[in-house]
Amino acid sequence: MECAEHGVIVEHIPWSEGKRPVTCAMMGFLARWARRLSWRETAQVFQSNWEAVYRSVEWFVQWGLAHRELKGVEAMGVDEIHWGRGLRADNFLTVIYQIDAHCRRLLWVGKRRSKATLRRGLKSLGPEVVQGLRFVCSDMWKPYLQVIAAQAGQALHVLDRFHITSHLNQAVDQVRRAESSRLRESNEARAQRLKHMRWPLLRRGTRVRGRARQKLNALLASKLATGRAWELKEIFSHLWKYKSVIWAGAFLDYWCFRAIRSRLEPMKKVARMLRTHEELLLNWFRAKGEISAGAVEGLNNKVRVVTRRSYGFRTYEAMELALYHTLGRLPEPELGHRFC
């Protein structure tokens, strides 16, 4: 309103914010339902529009980020996630999680998987959070290793065992494909032993049953290179059962020796990689019982669920809001009205 004495006076309205056409209570209501339904379904069910739902989630996330507390963060997970189509640099995200037993949430997400991105993420969390870390879990991506060593050197750096298992599975699959092509070209009957064996070879040995188990046993008896590669992968799984760092290191040396002598180049490549990162790999045993590396993969799966439910966000900003909204465990504003 306009006063003759004081001019234009702007009065705060408690149930609204700025020039937003939707009240704060309605924005909170839409934002909470947008966690359970897609944004389009939320708009349809409550007779609103997509733009209103988007702006509601945006307001909800901004308020939560401004009021969240980052105290007590002792364990952090760093990983990269692919989103969208193609393999451009912008189609990868760097994500930072809190993976403490009492709280697992998304702390930060940024474009690309580079040193600059991770530095920006650690800077946004603040020096108090970074210096207070006891454990950091990541894969063997070199830019991440270098930044973590430089900025969080006091933390025990643990390599994610699921990424190591992924490297082993990829090596076994490379051996299978190369050997299958060679046997088919030479018209050998043994090529049939590798037919339809991709997924049984990638599964854990204890989970291969029935007819697939019979074919796997026949493959091992045939002394094919694929069987030897699978056997090396299964032997490596015994590493995670050790409790002593010394004995785990001895087993790792033994396995790497066998892999180097196997004459299987993909397995030799994995062995050389493990030897290079041996000290970081053994940190998993030093931190055993205090950190769960599987929490990173669990949160990664939830990220994929969010992006799949959206059927692909058109902009990075929308996807970032959805990830903070769903996985950030952000504080929620107190609303004066509650819907029944």
Side-chain angles (χ1 to χ4, degrees):
M1 60 183 175
E2 183 174 357
C3 177
E5 183 179 354
H6 302 96
V8 177
I9 298 175
V10 179
E11 187 172 349
H12 174 68
I13 301 176
W15 60 84
S16 184
E17 183 175 318
K19 296 183 179 180
R20 296 179 183 270
V22 183
T23 63
C24 293
M26 187 61 182
M27 286 193 293
F29 178 78
L30 292 175
R32 287 188 177 94
W33 273 100
R35 284 201 189 105
R36 302 187 178 188
L37 306 174
S38 69
W39 293 356
R40 179 178 294 178
E41 288 175 322
T42 303
Q44 291 173 349
V45 170
F46 298 106
Q47 298 181 5
S48 183
N49 56 66
W50 189 91
E51 184 70 20
V53 177
Y54 174 81
R55 296 302 173 193
S56 299
V57 173
E58 182 183 37
W59 170 77
F60 212 68
V61 169
Q62 288 175 353
W63 193 95
L65 290 175
H67 293 82
R68 72 173 176 175
E69 294 185 357
L70 296 178
K71 296 179 181 178
V73 179
E74 296 184 346
M76 185 180 75
V78 180
D79 207 350
E80 76 273 0
I81 290 288
H82 177 264
W83 79 288
R85 296 181 180 178
L87 296 175
R88 298 177 303 165
D90 287 343
N91 288 123
F92 289 91
L93 305 175
T94 295
V95 289
I96 300 177
Y97 303 118
Q98 179 183 357
I99 54 173
D100 289 295
H102 65 276
C103 182
R104 292 173 180 171
R105 57 176 171 169
L106 175 67
L107 294 178
W108 188 83
V109 58
K111 275 186 180 180
R112 303 193 175 189
R113 49 172 185 170
S114 62
K115 291 182 183 179
T117 304
L118 184 54
R119 287 196 194 101
R120 194 168 68 251
L122 295 178
K123 183 179 179 181
S124 70
L125 296 178
E128 292 184 3
V129 174
V130 176
Q131 295 304 316
L133 292 172
R134 293 179 58 215
F135 304 103
V136 178
C137 179
S138 76
D139 59 9
M140 288 173 280
W141 183 243
K142 192 173 180 180
Y144 291 166
L145 298 181
Q146 293 174 346
V147 174
I148 292 170
Q151 298 198 18
Q154 84 288 348
L156 191 65
H157 191 172
V158 181
L159 293 182
D160 189 350
R161 58 177 288 189
F162 293 94
H163 283 88
I164 297 171
T165 303
S166 175
H167 283 291
L168 286 168
N169 282 334
Q170 290 174 10
V172 172
D173 199 46
Q174 289 173 10
V175 173
R176 179 194 63 81
R177 284 189 278 123
E179 188 171 41
S180 180
S181 299
R182 179 175 57 81
L183 293 176
R184 282 201 306 269
E185 288 175 359
S186 59
N187 293 321
E188 288 194 35
R190 291 187 300 172
Q192 293 297 320
R193 295 187 184 277
L194 297 176
K195 197 171 183 180
H196 305 303
M197 287 298 294
R198 180 186 180 187
W199 298 115
L201 288 169
L202 297 182
R203 297 183 72 182
R204 195 182 304 171
T206 55
R207 294 186 177 181
V208 181
R209 300 184 181 89
R211 195 170 178 183
R213 186 74 213 188
Q214 295 175 2
K215 292 187 68 176
L216 184 58
N217 291 337
L219 177 64
L220 295 174
S222 68
K223 302 299 181 181
L224 287 174
T226 304
R228 290 189 288 119
W230 182 86
E231 191 175 15
L232 279 171
K233 184 199 76 166
E234 286 300 301
I235 291 173
F236 186 85
S237 65
H238 293 288
L239 173 69
W240 310 115
K241 298 179 182 179
Y242 283 92
K243 297 185 182 299
S244 167
V245 178
I246 296 175
W247 285 107
F251 178 86
L252 183 61
D253 291 338
Y254 161 75
W255 186 91
C256 290
F257 174 78
R258 282 194 58 175
I260 294 293
R261 296 275 302 235
S262 67
R263 297 178 307 219
L264 303 173
E265 190 54 40
M267 303 304 292
K268 290 167 66 176
K269 183 178 178 182
V270 173
R272 289 192 291 266
M273 177 187 66
L274 294 178
R275 278 183 172 175
T276 302
H277 301 94
E278 180 176 359
E279 197 61 30
L280 294 179
L281 181 59
L282 293 179
N283 282 344
W284 191 86
F285 301 93
R286 297 186 179 100
K288 201 166 185 180
E290 295 191 59
I291 182 175
S292 174
V296 176
E297 289 302 311
L299 289 166
N300 284 346
N301 287 334
K302 292 181 179 179
V303 169
R304 296 185 185 99
V305 168
V306 172
T307 55
R308 192 180 304 120
R309 188 176 63 189
S310 67
Y311 296 100
F313 290 104
R314 293 183 180 272
T315 63
Y316 165 77
E317 289 74 17
M319 216 255 297
E320 182 181 9
L321 284 175
L323 294 180
Y324 278 125
H325 183 50
T326 308
L327 304 177
R329 297 183 66 174
L330 300 175
E332 300 179 359
E334 287 290 336
L335 302 177
H337 176 80
R338 294 186 179 274
F339 293 87
C340 297

